Structures are given as structure tokens and as C-alpha cells.
Amino acid sequence: HMNKKSGPISHRIMIYFFSAVLTLLLIWSIDYLLSDIGNIPGPSRKEIEMRFVGNDLIKEQKNLKSEKKKITTQIKNQTENQKLLKIGMSGSKDTMNQLLELHRLALEKNVRPTLDQQNALAESQTLYLSNQKEFQTANAQISNLTKQQQDLEQQINLINQQVTERLTQSETEFNNLLQAHRWKMAGLKLLVILPLLVGSTWLVIKKRKSDFSPLVFSFLIATFFETGTVMHQYFPAKFFRYIV
């Protein structure tokens, strides 16, 4: 029998080239179709976290932290106030010492201190005692605020522990739902691509010797490539190797 004649080599090169281009276009088209399936939204980590943790616990945590911040600010203010009172007490003490020294010198000379000197000494003593009283009051307030701060820290630590435990539970739930979603996506994509792979395989068997063989081979390569991509994306590497 007569052998089928081959066309010019330039024609065959063009056929191979356009077959390769067709393969790429088919891969792009199938991938575009599968990407629509992949865009189906999966589980929301934020929604699951809120479902497990709850708004009440988050609100309580936020309120406790806000209260602690206020108390920390009050302690800081009282500490700054004590610094100013110390400066005032130091100045009053120096003034009193100077006035007392003047009184001592005057008494040694049998000279009675003037009324202005006596009033100045009394005022410095009064100011010193007033600053000292305010300093002690500020010290008591700092002590009380520090106790409140410690109590709040204990409550915050307890809330943080509860939040951490619930976040761990929510993360486990999210991972389980995410895995289920991935299996769903794999199933839907394979539901689309496997019939195309079977169809292209059947066409190659039937048309491999026809003039349309480059077309069906391009179709087979494209569907086989996309099937492998889906399997590699969603199935474990060991399982994927067995399938290949």
C-alpha cells in the first residue's frame, strides 16, 4: 500500500507551533473556568473567632484594659504631684531653717524678731505642713490605685486566658472547615476537568491517525495538565505521586 505523504517541513513546523499555541489557549481557558470555582468563598476566620469568643468577653476585656489605662494615668499624675510637693517641701524647709537661724542670732543679741520675720516663719511652717499632708494623701492614693491596678491585672490575665483558649478552639474549627472547603473545591474542579480528560483521551484513541490529531492531542495535553494541577493543589504530595 502507499504511504501517506508528508507535507513540507515548514508546514509541519507551523502545525506544531499552532498546536502548542492551541494547547496554551486551552490551558488558559480551562484554568479560567476552574478559577471561578476556586473563587467560591470559604470559611471566615473572623466570624468563627467571634462565634467562639463572643462579643461579651471581648467587650469585658476591652473595658478592663481601658480601666487599667485610666488607673495607670492616675498613678502617674499622683507620682508627678509628689515630685512637685517634694520640691515645695524642700523649699519651705530651707526657708524655715534660714528664719530659725535669724531668730537664733537675734535672741543671742537679745533682739526680739520682727513681726514680719515671725509671720514669715509661721507661713513657711504652715506651707511645709500643708505640703507634707498633701504628700501623704497622694502616697495613700497611689497605694490604693496600685492595689486596684493589681486586681485589674489579675482579671485581665484571666480574661486573656479565656480568650486564648477560645481562639485555639476557633482555630481548630476554622482549620476543619477550611479542609472541608478545600475538599469541596477539589471535588467540584475534578467534576469539571475529569469528563474533559476522559473525552480528550477518547478522541485521541479515535482520531490519533486523522488530520485532526494535533487538535485532539492539544486538548489531551491541556486537560491532563489541568488535572495534574488540581491534584497537586488539593491532594497530599504522597497521594498525588501514587495517582501520577
Side-chain angles (χ1 to χ4, degrees), residues 66-106:
S66 177
E67 187 65 23
K68 180 186 173 182
K69 186 176 180 180
K70 291 179 181 178
I71 290 178
T72 302
T73 302
Q74 291 176 6
I75 292 175
K76 182 179 179 181
N77 292 339
Q78 289 296 337
T79 302
E80 292 296 327
N81 185 37
Q82 278 191 325
K83 291 180 180 179
L84 295 176
L85 289 172
K86 281 184 177 180
I87 294 174
M89 290 168 61
S90 177
S92 298
K93 188 175 182 180
D94 290 341
T95 302
M96 281 192 303
N97 289 336
Q98 292 174 3
L99 291 173
L100 287 172
E101 181 65 18
L102 291 176
H103 280 219
R104 186 184 66 80
L105 293 174

Side-chain angles (χ1 to χ4, degrees), residues 146-192:
T146 302
K147 180 63 170 59
Q148 295 181 36
Q149 186 184 51
Q150 292 173 348
D151 292 340
L152 284 173
E153 286 177 351
Q154 292 179 356
Q155 297 179 47
I156 290 172
N157 289 336
L158 181 61
I159 292 292
N160 289 341
Q161 183 178 358
Q162 295 177 10
V163 170
T164 300
E165 291 175 354
R166 296 188 185 186
L167 284 177
T168 302
Q169 296 172 359
S170 71
E171 186 66 19
T172 301
E173 177 69 9
F174 172 77
N175 290 332
N176 292 336
L177 293 176
L178 182 61
Q179 185 60 41
H181 176 74
R182 286 178 56 82
W183 283 115
K184 178 182 177 182
M185 292 300 97
L188 290 175
K189 289 184 177 182
L190 290 177
L191 193 62
V192 172

Side-chain angles (χ1 to χ4, degrees), residues 2 12-13 23 25 35 37-38 113 115 117 119 126 143 146 167 182 194-195 197 201 220 229 234 237:
M2 296 179 62
R12 280 181 285 166
I13 292 175
T23 302
L25 290 175
S35 66
I37 298 175
L115 184 60
Q117 290 177 337
N119 291 337
T126 301
S143 177
T146 302
L167 284 177
R182 286 178 56 82
L194 287 180
L197 179 62
T201 304
L220 175 63
T229 301
Y234 291 99

Side-chain angles (χ1 to χ4, degrees), residues 24-38 189 193 222 225-226 229-230 233:
L24 295 176
L25 290 175
L26 287 171
I27 290 175
W28 176 80
S29 300
I30 296 172
D31 187 67
Y32 183 78
L33 176 63
L34 296 179
S35 66
D36 285 341
I37 298 175
K189 289 184 177 182
I193 195 66
F225 175 81
E226 285 296 329
T229 301
V230 171
Q233 181 180 3

